[in-house]
Amino acid sequence: MTEKMLNALMKKYDAQKEDAILKIEMITKGIVIPEHIDITGEVDKLLHIVAESEEKAEVLWKLYGKTKAN
């Protein structure tokens, strides 16, 4: 895996995580008041995105960290 690909994937996972965290904050602070929405269900989905993004980044770094990048 090239260093550029590794960096691109790490940035993608970080952006997904940050986007989900922002949405959670907006929902929990009442900035966004969605109509007819299961708020706890939506926050649960967003937390899943955060956890999945962190896990993918961790596995990617473990397998293809800078020491192994071509």
Side-chain angles (χ1 to χ4, degrees), residues 1-14 16 52-69:
M1 177 174 296
T2 67
E3 189 171 345
K4 282 187 176 188
M5 186 182 298
L6 174 69
N7 290 336
L9 286 168
M10 293 297 282
K11 288 177 182 179
K12 174 183 177 178
Y13 301 145
D14 189 49
Q16 289 172 340
E52 186 177 61
S53 297
E54 286 182 348
E55 183 179 346
K56 285 181 178 181
E58 184 179 314
V59 170
L60 179 65
W61 190 255
K62 181 179 176 183
L63 294 176
Y64 302 104
K66 288 187 178 184
T67 57
K68 295 183 181 180

Side-chain angles (χ1 to χ4, degrees), residues 13-51:
Y13 301 145
D14 189 49
Q16 289 172 340
K17 176 183 152 184
E18 292 301 318
D19 180 62
I21 289 171
L22 174 63
K23 288 175 182 173
I24 291 168
E25 289 175 2
M26 292 177 75
I27 290 170
T28 58
K29 291 180 181 178
I31 296 171
V32 174
I33 303 172
E35 295 180 21
H36 309 290
I37 189 169
D38 175 12
I39 293 174
T40 55
E42 189 64 24
V43 170
D44 183 59
K45 288 177 191 176
L46 293 166
L47 286 172
H48 177 75
I49 292 169
V50 171

